[in-house]
Amino acid sequence: MKKVYAKEEVCVGCKLCEVYCITSHSKYKDVLKAYKLDSNRPAPRIVVEENRPLSFSLQCRHCDDAPCVKACITGAMQKDPVTGVVTCDTDKCVGCWTCVLVCGFGAIVRDTNNKIASKCDLCAEAGEPACVKNCPNEALVFSEGGI
């Protein structure tokens, strides 16, 4: 399956991947409107880790065994048996954060604004993840098998 891979050697920590992730999951789908008008703006589903001079983005690895799916008490975390993509059904999520605790990569974050778990869904409806599409240094790659 295709996944997002980070090339830390060209990441400058600009966090535009976070900005475009938020925008693509907001109700407005426009950067300015998402940031200025959306009172329930979603949390980014990708996180930039920085420890200068190194920086890279971190997002869901869509694990084969997906401990977050097994730990989810409501069934909100689901793994598509065909595509392998792990998603969170926000209508079922109760914000217990069990998935956050069991994720060994730290890729699931608490969306405290909406009180739900938030994780990368690979922008499935768009075809290409917004973070990859908008990275100015091409530090993110969407491929099947690594960089």
Side-chain angles (χ1 to χ4, degrees):
M1 94 177 249
K2 285 180 126 181
K3 294 182 183 181
V4 177
Y5 296 94
K7 296 190 293 186
E8 63 270 1
E9 66 275 6
V10 292
C11 177
V12 295
C14 68
K15 299 190 179 191
L16 280 173
C17 53
E18 291 183 8
V19 169
Y20 282 99
C21 178
I22 289 169
T23 302
S24 72
H25 290 94
S26 75
K27 65 181 175 183
Y28 292 105
K29 311 295 186 222
D30 175 88
V31 173
L32 289 176
K33 289 178 182 175
Y35 275 81
K36 294 201 175 253
L37 303 176
D38 197 347
S39 59
N40 284 330
R41 184 173 61 230
R45 296 167 184 220
I46 186 170
V47 178
V48 174
E49 293 288 337
E50 292 183 85
N51 188 7
R52 294 288 178 206
L54 183 67
S55 59
F56 61 91
S57 69
L58 176 69
Q59 64 282 325
C60 180
R61 305 312 314 144
H62 301 278
C63 303
D64 290 334
D65 64 342
C68 59
V69 173
K70 294 174 186 169
C72 183
I73 63 171
T74 64
M77 286 288 176
Q78 302 168 10
K79 183 173 181 76
D80 186 297
V82 176
T83 65
V85 176
V86 177
T87 57
C88 179
D89 182 340
T90 56
D91 292 330
K92 289 183 180 178
C93 181
V94 295
C96 71
W97 319 127
T98 306
C99 56
V100 175
L101 294 171
V102 300
C103 177
F105 295 98
I108 303 172
V109 296
R110 294 173 27 196
D111 182 342
T112 54
N113 198 25
N114 295 298
K115 297 180 178 44
I116 55 170
S118 184
K119 61 168 294 310
C120 177
D121 60 1
L122 297 175
C123 295
E125 64 283 344
E128 179 182 20
C131 58
V132 173
K133 185 177 178 181
N134 293 286
C135 180
N137 286 357
E138 297 178 359
L140 297 172
V141 177
F142 187 50
S143 71
E144 201 168 317
I147 300 171

